[in-house]
Amino acid sequence: MELRETPHPALRFQVLGPVQAWRGDQALSLGSPQQQAVLTALLLHHGRPVTTQDLVDGLWGDRPPPQAVAALRTYISRLRTVIEPDRETRAPAALLVSVSDGYALRIPSSALDLSAFDAGFAEAMGARAAGRTHEAHRQLVSALALWRGRPLAGVPGPYADAQRLRLAERQVTAWEERCASALDIGLHSEIVSELSSLAAEHPLRERIRELLMLALYRCGRQAESLGVYSDTRKLLIEELGVEPGTGLALMHSRILSADPALMPSPESEARPADRDDAPAFTPPAQLPADVSDFSGRSKLVSELREVLRSAAGQAVVVTSLAGIGGVGKTTLAVHVAHSVRSAFPDGQLYVDLRGAGASPADPAVVLGDFLYSLGVTETPDSLDQRAALYRSLLANRRMLILLDNAQDAQQLTPLIPGVSGCAVLATSRSRLAGIPGAHLIDVEELSPEEALGLFSAIVGEQRVAAEPDASLAVVKACGFLPLAVRIAAARLASRPRWSVSDLARRLANQRQRLAELQLGNLAVETTIGLGYGQLRPEEARAFRLLSLVDSPDLPLSAVAALLGLDEGRAEAVAEALVEANMLECYSPGRYRYHDLLRLYAQQQNEKLADTEQQQAAVLRLLDLLLATLLNAAQAIEPEDLLPEPLNKLVSDGIGFDTGPAAQLWLRAETALLLSTVEAAVRAPSGMLRPAVDLLIVLNSMVEDPTHGQRIRQILETAYVEAKAHGDTAALARVRFAQGFLQHLTSEFHNAEVSLRESLSLQGEDDVTMLRSMVANLLGIMLSIANRPAEALPFFGQALAISRVIGAPSGEARLLGNIARAQLDVGQTVEAVRSVHEAVATARTSGNAPCLADTVYQLGVVLLSTGDPGGAAVHLREAHQLYQSQQNRLREAYTLTRLASSLLADRQVPAAAEAAEESLAIAQEMDSAYCQGLANAALGEALLQLAQPARGLACLQEAYAIFTRLGVPEASPVLDLVSRQQQHTEPSSPPAP
C-alpha cells in the first residue's frame, strides 16, 4: 500500500527491538506499556485502518476492563500529542487520524525499521536469485543490523504476543539466509560459531543444521560435520519421532561421498569488501617508479606485455626473468609492469625478496605485508594460513604481482595466487624451473647499440656524439650490463668537468676492477667497484660498515650507531652514498642496499680484515638496540624487571612515551634486531655477551611464531659459542632463553631440561632476577607436568628473590603461580589467600599485563574451588585486559578457562561460543596445548547441547593433542570419551 507522505520526515519508529520513536535525534516518550501496545498495532498495520474493537481485543483479549474504549481514546490522544506536538488545539490530526470506527497511523514507509528490513530482505533475495551473491550478502547484513534485540520487548497484549512470534520467525529466517549467502561467497570459517549458537538456540530447525554441516565440512572438520547430522537425527527421532528431512539427509550423503561440488568455487570466495568488518579497499599501487630513460629490449618488452595481458585462462600467469646480477631484470620488470597497469585494475603488489643476499625474505613475512596492503589488519601467523587467505583475497581480483630478486621456486611458490585473472612477474638470478607452467625468459646483456642508447639518455646526446669511441669504450668496459652502464653514466652526469674519455680511462684500468668480474662472471661488480673507488674515505668506510648487519634495511639511528656518528652527520654520509647510487633511501630515514652492493661491501670488509673497527661498530649497534629494547619493555610493562645485563650499557637508547609506540617500534625493527644478534653470535667472542643480553630480552618480547625458528637457530649458535668459550654466565642465559622458547612451543620436557641446566650454571645463593625468572618458569613446567609438589619450592625460591630485589609485578605473578600449585596439592585455603594477595599486589603495581595474569589466575582458582560465577567475572576482566594489550595467546587461554567456568555454571551455549573463539585463536597462534584445552571444553559443551557426535570428535582431538604433549589432561578427557562411546544411537543411519 502506498502511504501518503507527510511534512514530518524526521519521525522514526522502531519495532525490531523495544518499541521506540525519535524526532531527528531526540527520543520520544511513548508512555505506558499499554499505550505502546496501541502504537504497535497501528505501526504494524502499515497505514491501514484498525477498528476500535480490534485495538481493544489486541490490547486486553477477551477480558477488557469496563472503560476499555475510554482508555483507548486516552492513549490515542496522548500519542497524538507526542507524535504531533505542534498541532493546534482542535485541529485535525495529520498523522494519527480517525478513520470510520477506528484509527490509522499515516507515516512514510521509510520511517519504520520493519519496512526498511522487509525492503532490504526482498532486495537480497532478488540479488541471490539473480546470482549476485556478494550483493545479497551485503544486503542481508545491512537488513539484520536494523534489529536491536527482542522485537516488541515489554509490549503487553495478545496482538503483541502474536506479532512478536511472527517477527522472531522472520529474524531467524533472515539469519538463515545470511548464513547461506555467506557460504555462497566462501565465508565458511567465519560463520561456524554463529551457526553453532543458532543450532543450540533452535535445535529443531533443520536448515540451520544443514548449513552448519556444510560450513564445518568446508573448514576441513568433516568428523564434526557428520556429528551434527547424527546429533540432529537422534534429536528428531526422540522429540518428534521423525527422520531428518530431504535437505539434511542429502547433505549427509554428499559429505559421505566427498561431493566436490560442496566446496566453494574460486569465483565464490570472499573478497575483503564482503566481510562485515573490512575497511574500504584501496587498490595497492606498489610498483617502484619507472625509469624515464629506459631504452632497448623492444622485442622482449612486447613479448612480456602480451603474456601478462593474457592472464585470463585456466591458470595464473607466471613469468620469470632470469639472468646475472645487474643485467637489468628489475628495471625491465618494473618498466613492463607499468605499461600493463591498466590491465590490472585491482592493483599491483611489489616486494624485493632479497634472494641474492644471506638473509632472503621469509615468505610468511612477505605474505603478512601483502595481506596488510589488501586490507587485512590481523593476519594469521602460520605460512600456510597466510597463503590460503592471500589466495582467497585474490581469487576475484585482477592484480599484478611483481616478485623481485627471488632466491628459488620454494621461496616464490607461496606468493603465487591460486586462480586465473592475476599475473606474476618474477625476477631471479637463477632459472625458476620448479614452478609448473611458468614462462621462463633469460635476460641477457644489452647489445652495444642499446647500451649506448642508455648511456646517452643519462649523460646527454651531445656528450656522446662528441666522443663516440670513448662512449663505446665505457659501455664495453661495463660489460653492456644495464646497472653498470647506469652507475657509470650517473657518475659522469654528476661531474660536468669530466669528459667521457676521462671515465673511459678510469674503466680501462684493470686494477680498479676485480679480475674475476668479467662479462658472464658477475661483471656487474666491476661497476660497483668503480662507484666504490670514487667515494671519499668517510663514505667508503660507511659503505663497508653498514653491511656488517645483514638486515633488510637500516633506520637512521642504526646507521649512526654503526658509524659512531651523531644522527645529523650520519644522515649526511648516508645521503652522500644515496647520491652515489651505493645505497638506497626508499623512505625518509631508512636505508638499504641493493643485494649485490651489499655483497660487494661485505667482501671489502673481508679483504680489509679490520676486525677491531668492525667489532666496535657492531658493539655500538648492540648497545643502542639493547638500551632501546629495555626502554620498550618498560613502556609496554612498567616496573617489570628483566635479567641483569652482562655488559654495562653506554647508550640511553630511544625512549617511548607509550606502550603502543614501543610495540610499533618493536614490530618495525624485529628484522634488524634478529640480524644484529645473528651477526654478533657468529663474531669473535668479545661480542657474545652483549649479543646474549639482547637476545634474552628480545626472546621474551617477540611472540610472532614466524620468527620462532630463526630465534631457535640463533640460540643454538649462541649455545655452541658460549660452551666453546666456557662462558657459564652467558650459557645460563642462553639455556633460559631456550627453555622459554620451548615452553611457548609446548615442548615442556625439553624446556624443563634447559631450565634445570640454566639453574645449575648459576650460583645457588645468587639473588638475581635471572635466577628468579628461571625458577619461576621451571615451576610452571613442573605444574603443567602435574608435579605441583616439586614446583612449589622453585616458586618459593623465585618469590624470595623477587621480594629482596623489589619486583612487585614479579612477586604478584609468582603468588598467582603458587596459588595454582597449592590448589593442586590440596591446600585450598592457602591457594585462595595467595591468589587474592597476587591480585592486590598487581593492582598496586600499576602493571596492566601483570594485573591481567593475576586476575586470570584468580579466575582459575575460583573455578577449581567451586565458584564458577565468580571465576567467570574475573576471567572476563582478564580477557578484556589481554585484548587491550593485543596478547592473542593469553586471550585464547582465558577464553577456554571461561568456557569451563560457564559450563560449571550451566551456561552451556555461552560456554560453547567461548570455546569456539579460543580454538580459533589457538590455531592461529599454533599453540597445541591451548588447542587441546579449547577442544576439551568445546566437546563437553557440545555433549550438553545434545550434539554428541560432534562433541566426541572434539574430545578425541583434545585427547590426541594431550597425549602427544604428554600432559595429565589426557586422562580426564579419555574418561569422558569412554563414557560417551558407551551410548548408542536410536538406530543406524540410512545408507548414502
Side-chain angles (χ1 to χ4, degrees), residues 587-599:
S587 179
R590 299 197 76 89
Y591 300 90
R592 67 184 178 193
Y593 287 94
H594 179 281
D595 290 336
L596 295 172
L597 290 169
R598 184 202 308 279
L599 291 174

Side-chain angles (χ1 to χ4, degrees), residues 313-336:
Q314 294 299 313
V316 63
V317 171
V318 180
T319 304
S320 170
L321 307 180
I324 63 172
V327 78
K329 303 180 297 295
T330 298
T331 302
L332 172 63
V334 170
H335 178 72
V336 171

Side-chain angles (χ1 to χ4, degrees), residues 51 140 376 448 591 648 708 792 904 977:
T51 67
L140 286 165
V376 178
Y591 300 90
K648 184 178 179 181
L792 279 169
V977 169

Side-chain angles (χ1 to χ4, degrees), residues 255-305:
I255 290 173
L256 285 175
S257 61
D259 184 350
L262 289 177
M263 298 307 292
S265 64
E267 291 77 14
S268 70
E269 293 190 24
R271 303 174 301 203
D274 298 310
R275 302 178 186 271
D276 297 346
D277 59 349
F281 176 71
T282 301
Q286 298 180 351
L287 296 177
D290 193 7
V291 294
S292 59
D293 49 26
F294 184 90
S295 61
R297 305 197 192 277
S298 55
K299 183 178 179 180
L300 184 53
V301 168
S302 298
E303 178 185 345
L304 288 170
R305 286 172 177 166

Side-chain angles (χ1 to χ4, degrees), residues 307-319 343-349 374 390-401 415-425:
V307 170
L308 293 174
R309 285 173 173 154
S310 68
Q314 294 299 313
V316 63
V317 171
V318 180
T319 304
F344 299 94
D346 291 319
Q348 307 85 38
L349 296 171
L374 294 169
Y390 169 73
R391 291 192 296 270
S392 298
L393 294 177
L394 265 59
N396 292 295
R397 294 199 175 115
R398 189 166 173 81
M399 297 188 73
L400 176 63
I401 299 96
L415 309 178
I416 298 176
V419 297
S420 62
C422 293
V424 174
L425 183 56

Side-chain angles (χ1 to χ4, degrees), residues 294-475:
F294 184 90
S295 61
R297 305 197 192 277
S298 55
K299 183 178 179 180
L300 184 53
V301 168
S302 298
E303 178 185 345
L304 288 170
R305 286 172 177 166
E306 182 178 351
V307 170
L308 293 174
R309 285 173 173 154
S310 68
Q314 294 299 313
V316 63
V317 171
V318 180
T319 304
S320 170
L321 307 180
I324 63 172
V327 78
K329 303 180 297 295
T330 298
T331 302
L332 172 63
V334 170
H335 178 72
V336 171
H338 275 284
S339 71
V340 297
R341 281 184 61 193
S342 60
F344 299 94
D346 291 319
Q348 307 85 38
L349 296 171
Y350 170 83
V351 65
D352 179 2
L353 294 172
R354 309 192 308 275
S359 181
D362 185 344
V365 176
V366 174
L367 284 170
D369 293 338
F370 277 359
L371 290 172
Y372 183 83
S373 300
L374 294 169
V376 178
T377 56
E378 294 187 6
T379 58
D381 289 297
S382 75
L383 171 62
D384 289 343
Q385 289 172 329
R386 291 184 179 189
L389 179 55
Y390 169 73
R391 291 192 296 270
S392 298
L393 294 177
L394 265 59
N396 292 295
R397 294 199 175 115
R398 189 166 173 81
M399 297 188 73
L400 176 63
I401 299 96
L402 178 48
L403 306 175
D404 196 17
N405 290 336
Q407 181 184 35
D408 50 30
Q410 183 179 1
Q411 183 192 35
L412 207 64
T413 299
L415 309 178
I416 298 176
V419 297
S420 62
C422 293
V424 174
L425 183 56
T427 71
S428 177
R429 295 175 68 183
S430 58
R431 290 173 61 87
L432 301 176
I435 301 177
H439 299 270
L440 303 179
I441 298 175
D442 290 323
V443 181
E444 298 179 353
E445 65 270 23
L446 298 171
S447 68
E449 294 77 14
E450 289 173 334
L452 280 172
L454 175 60
F455 186 73
S456 177
I458 297 172
V459 303
E461 293 181 1
Q462 291 182 345
R463 297 179 76 178
V464 172
E467 299 179 274
D469 293 338
S471 297
L472 182 59
V474 168
V475 297

Side-chain angles (χ1 to χ4, degrees), residues 538 630 741:
E538 185 180 33
L630 290 172
L741 183 62

